């Protein structure tokens, strides 16, 4: 960990600063989890060792709960699962993911001590648990978890005080980090990474965190000077300043005083009226407010239809809302962006690819004006837009979007990440097709049509939720 130094960050407590100069895409440090568990809801669909999503998994023959890809994963995960397996059998049922994570952490600490690696910068005792800051309902949940934990914890294991147990619960409550699947596209579990806990928040950060081959990587988003504080974003910048501050206060127990929150930077265009070539057009403040309120109401209806899996109703609601509000609201309006995002995703799933591609393009253009240039959400949106435009047969826009996404994800994810490798293959493919297209459009489309007839396009994955993706990496118990 020679790349970072612990220091007292003004108004934030402890933090990390750069021990040398970094450039965009540099890995400042990588870290394996102290312990990690699969979410309760995905326990039968995700390997509990490598966190891969698989159609067919092998169940642990003893506890009947933990699942693995194969014997290799089972052997690799046995050291962490051994005591958990006996405890689940003795308890007669499976506790929730928070209890399982606390148990795994305590077994690890009992075995290896408070510092489990030479690379570890802090012990768990030194991390904040914010229990005194919890609301009454959170404290009630904590007491229930502690009670259930004490019932679950084997008498043959080392016994711990209630204060020590509650401290671990508090630490993972505000410092847990979402563990993603092998493609990095969906959160499938939660783990604790002690060094990452020292990195403070900024709404416009100079670093990002990504899970790569089982370890988290703290990556630089741009030039960072020696001695500069390292920061990541705990919440999505797409939220308004007031909403970000509310989320940070309720979820992480601090008041954000960053420049973007203090000066409400970009809040005006996140809820603004339509512009043409940078010049505001007709809509009055009252019309913008009316369209914003209407959009918000329609988003609630859309979310309900989406949860019910009624995607044709989702399209109907979105189309009605877009037709009414698009002439009034800015292309950076966060509610309109959500509508475009949903329309693109659902229309692609339903195979209305031209419509899906148009909404994906608009979404990327809006995101580009809001997010920092090297932002993982922007990169993933550009990648999706590139894929949809390729499926729709618009190779010129597809290649441009794929190149944009590749440039961003080379910084945020790095060249060895599975997503970046997929993007590199896409970039080569679309470049080759674009060259063919420019030489002879008729031949290109004829070859493409023949290829698609021989190998029909597969549908995109069924839309799951508005928040699915790589947002909200910092896990909070719902």
């Amino acid at each position: 960990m020679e790349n970072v130094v612990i220091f007292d960050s003004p108004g934030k407590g402890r933090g990390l600063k750069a021990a040398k100069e970094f450039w965009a895409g540099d890995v400042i440090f990588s870290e394996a989890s102290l312990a990690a568990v699969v979410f309760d809801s995905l326990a039968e669909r995700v390997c509990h060792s490598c966190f891969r999503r698989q159609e067919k998994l092998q169940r642990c023959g003893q506890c009947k709960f933990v699942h693995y890809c194969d014997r290799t994963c089972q052997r690799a995960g046995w050291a962490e699962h051994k005591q958990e397996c006996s405890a689940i059998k003795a308890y007669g049922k499976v506790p929730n993911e928070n209890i399982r994570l606390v148990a795994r952490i305590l077994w690890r600490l009992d075995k290896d001590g408070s510092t489990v690696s030479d690379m570890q910068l802090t012990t768990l005792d030194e991390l904040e648990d914010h229990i005194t800051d919890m609301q009454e309902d959170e404290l009630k949940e904590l007491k229930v978890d502690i009670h259930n934990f004490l019932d679950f914890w084997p008498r043959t294991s080392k016994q711990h005080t209630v204060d020590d147990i509650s401290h671990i619960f508090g630490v993972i409550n505000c410092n847990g980090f979402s563990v993603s699947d092998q493609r990095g596209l969906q959160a499938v579990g939660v783990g604790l990474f002690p060094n990452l806990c020292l990195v403070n928040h900024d709404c416009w950060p100079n670093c990002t965190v990504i899970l790569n081959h089982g370890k988290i990587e703290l990556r630089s988003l741009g030039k960072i000077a020696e001695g500069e504080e390292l920061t990541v974003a705990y919440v999505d910048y797409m939220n308004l300043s007031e909403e970000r501050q509310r989320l940070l206060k309720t979820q992480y127990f601090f008041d954000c005083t960053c420049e973007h929150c203090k000066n409400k930077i970009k809040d005006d265009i996140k809820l603004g009226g339509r512009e043409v070539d940078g010049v505001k057009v007709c809509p009055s403040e009252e019309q913008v407010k009316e369209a914003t309120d209407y959009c918000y109401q329609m988003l609630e209806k859309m979310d309900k239809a989406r949860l019910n899996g009624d995607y044709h109703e989702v399209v109907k609601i979105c189309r009605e809302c877009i037709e009414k509000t698009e002439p009034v609201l800015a292309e950076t309006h966060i509610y309109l962006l959500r509508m475009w995002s949903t329309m693109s995703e659902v229309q692609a799933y339903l195979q209305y690819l031209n419509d899906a591609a148009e909404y994906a393009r608009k979404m990327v253009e809006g995101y580009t004006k809001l997010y920092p240039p090297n932002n993982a959400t922007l990169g993933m949106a550009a990648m999706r837009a590139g894929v949809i435009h390729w499926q729709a047969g618009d190779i010129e826009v597809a290649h441009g979007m794929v190149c944009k996404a590749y440039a961003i994800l080379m910084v945020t994810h790095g060249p060895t990440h599975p997503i970046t490798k997929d993007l590199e293959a896409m970039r080569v493919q679309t470049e080759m097709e674009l060259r063919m297209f420019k030489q002879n459009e008729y031949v290109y489309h004829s070859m493409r049509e023949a290829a698609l007839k021989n190998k029909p396009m597969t549908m995109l994955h069924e839309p799951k939720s508005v928040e699915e993706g790589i947002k909200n990496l910092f896990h909070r118990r719902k």
Side-chain angles (χ1 to χ4, degrees):
M1 300 298 290
E2 65 278 0
N3 288 343
V4 297
V5 176
I6 300 177
F7 78 117
D8 289 326
S9 180
K12 298 180 181 179
R14 292 190 305 164
L16 293 182
K17 63 181 179 181
K20 65 177 187 179
E21 186 177 76
F22 294 102
W23 294 88
D26 284 347
V27 177
I28 299 170
F29 68 77
S30 64
E31 180 183 16
S33 69
L34 181 70
V37 295
V38 174
F39 289 145
D40 296 336
S41 58
L42 297 173
E44 296 181 3
R45 288 176 282 166
V46 173
C47 175
H48 289 234
S49 178
C50 71
F51 291 89
R52 287 176 177 269
R53 292 179 67 94
Q54 301 279 9
E55 289 297 322
K56 293 182 179 180
L57 293 169
Q58 298 178 14
R59 189 172 63 173
C60 173
Q62 298 296 314
C63 68
K64 313 293 186 186
F65 169 71
V66 171
H67 288 69
Y68 297 106
C69 299
D70 48 35
R71 289 196 176 278
T72 301
C73 279
Q74 187 174 21
R75 283 193 294 268
W78 180 243
E80 207 171 9
H81 176 55
K82 181 178 180 180
Q83 289 166 294
E84 175 187 67
C85 185
S86 299
I88 290 173
K89 284 195 298 178
Y91 190 43
K93 57 184 177 180
V94 181
N96 67 41
E97 63 207 33
N98 273 18
I99 293 173
R100 289 188 286 114
L101 181 55
V102 170
R104 284 194 170 199
I105 289 170
L106 286 173
W107 278 317
R108 179 78 187 275
L109 295 178
D110 291 345
K111 176 176 172 284
D112 297 330
S114 59
T115 305
V116 301
S117 163
D118 293 339
M119 305 291 284
Q120 190 175 319
L121 295 172
T122 182
T123 65
L124 265 60
D125 289 341
E126 296 171 313
L127 295 175
E128 291 283 348
D129 59 29
H130 291 288
I131 289 175
T132 57
D133 299 313
M134 287 183 177
Q135 299 295 318
E136 187 176 344
D137 57 339
E138 290 180 308
L139 287 172
K140 285 182 180 178
E141 288 183 0
L142 174 63
K143 288 177 180 177
V144 170
D145 274 347
I146 292 172
H147 174 79
N148 290 334
F149 174 88
L150 292 171
D151 285 345
F152 170 70
W153 187 252
R155 293 185 178 180
T156 53
S157 294
K158 179 182 175 181
Q159 298 303 299
H160 297 271
T161 66
V162 171
D163 285 345
D164 288 343
I165 295 165
S166 61
H167 173 72
I168 302 295
F169 272 108
V171 167
I172 65 169
N173 189 50
C174 54
N175 287 292
F177 185 83
S178 293
V179 176
S180 60
D181 61 10
Q182 69 272 28
R183 309 312 299 172
L185 292 172
Q186 184 188 8
V188 296
V190 57
L192 188 65
F193 300 81
N195 293 341
L196 180 61
C197 298
L198 295 171
V199 184
N200 285 319
H201 163 84
D202 194 286
C203 291
W204 198 267
N206 56 17
C207 296
T208 190
V209 185
I210 201 72
L211 193 79
N212 190 9
H213 295 98
K215 292 185 176 182
I216 62 100
E217 293 177 346
L218 184 72
R219 305 181 65 90
S220 173
L221 293 175
K223 183 180 178 182
I224 298 176
E226 181 179 347
E228 186 178 344
E229 180 170 11
L230 305 172
T231 58
V232 294
Y234 293 1
V235 296
D236 187 13
Y237 183 71
M238 191 64 69
N239 293 306
L240 296 170
S241 301
E242 186 177 341
E243 176 64 7
R244 294 198 307 274
Q245 288 180 311
R246 186 191 68 79
L247 289 170
L248 291 166
K249 185 66 174 178
T250 56
Q251 296 181 1
Y252 301 101
F253 310 106
F254 69 87
D255 297 305
C256 185
T257 57
C258 77
E259 180 185 358
H260 282 254
C261 281
K262 284 192 296 186
N263 298 325
K264 301 185 183 300
I265 295 174
K266 298 198 178 186
D267 278 8
D268 55 340
I269 63 172
K270 288 179 183 177
L271 289 180
R274 186 165 178 256
E275 295 183 358
V276 177
D277 297 327
V279 179
K280 290 186 183 295
V281 291
C282 300
S284 64
E285 287 187 14
E286 187 176 336
Q287 287 175 310
V288 172
K289 184 181 183 308
E290 185 179 313
T292 298
D293 292 343
Y294 175 76
C295 218
Y296 182 79
Q297 292 168 10
M298 296 299 276
L299 280 169
E300 290 185 325
K301 288 184 179 179
M302 180 268 290
D303 284 342
K304 288 179 181 177
R306 189 169 181 168
L307 285 171
N308 293 331
D310 189 350
Y311 298 123
H312 290 285
E313 180 65 16
V314 169
V315 170
K316 179 183 174 183
I317 292 168
C318 288
R319 197 180 298 283
E320 181 183 331
C321 180
I322 289 169
E323 287 175 358
K324 185 170 182 177
T325 61
E326 202 171 49
V328 179
L329 301 179
E331 63 178 350
T332 50
H333 195 289
I334 53 178
Y335 294 165
L336 190 56
L337 283 169
R338 269 192 66 190
M339 284 290 179
W340 286 341
S341 174
T342 302
M343 273 292 270
S344 170
E345 189 179 345
V346 173
Q347 290 286 63
Y349 174 68
L350 296 174
Q351 293 291 284
Y352 297 108
L353 296 172
N354 289 323
D355 278 357
E358 176 65 12
Y359 290 119
R361 180 189 60 77
K362 289 181 178 182
M363 183 181 70
V364 171
E365 289 175 355
Y367 278 13
T368 301
K369 293 181 179 180
L370 291 177
Y371 282 116
N374 289 327
N375 177 273
T377 302
L378 172 59
M380 295 297 291
M383 182 178 78
R384 183 174 180 81
V387 171
I388 296 172
H389 276 88
W390 177 84
Q391 289 180 316
D394 191 345
I395 188 61
E396 291 179 293
V397 177
H399 182 63
M401 286 290 185
V402 168
C403 288
K404 179 183 179 75
Y406 183 69
I408 294 172
L409 266 65
M410 277 292 285
V411 173
T412 60
H413 289 59
T416 65
H417 196 282
I419 292 179
T420 316
K421 288 182 176 180
D422 287 348
L423 260 178
E424 169 63 9
M426 267 191 269
R427 189 182 65 81
V428 172
Q429 172 75 15
T430 55
E431 185 176 351
M432 179 187 69
E433 290 190 23
L434 181 59
R435 196 179 301 121
M436 189 187 304
F437 172 80
K438 287 181 175 179
Q439 288 172 351
N440 191 316
E441 291 184 33
Y442 175 76
V443 171
Y444 167 74
H445 284 297
S446 297
M447 290 180 65
R448 176 185 171 83
E449 188 174 340
L452 291 175
K453 281 182 180 177
N454 291 332
K455 188 178 180 181
M457 283 181 291
T458 56
M459 281 192 177
L460 295 178
H461 292 300
E462 184 176 0
K464 297 296 182 187
S465 71
V466 175
E467 296 299 331
E468 187 171 13
I470 58 170
K471 296 181 182 178
N472 305 321
L473 290 173
F474 288 89
H475 173 73
R476 279 285 297 178
R477 179 175 176 175
K478 298 296 185 289

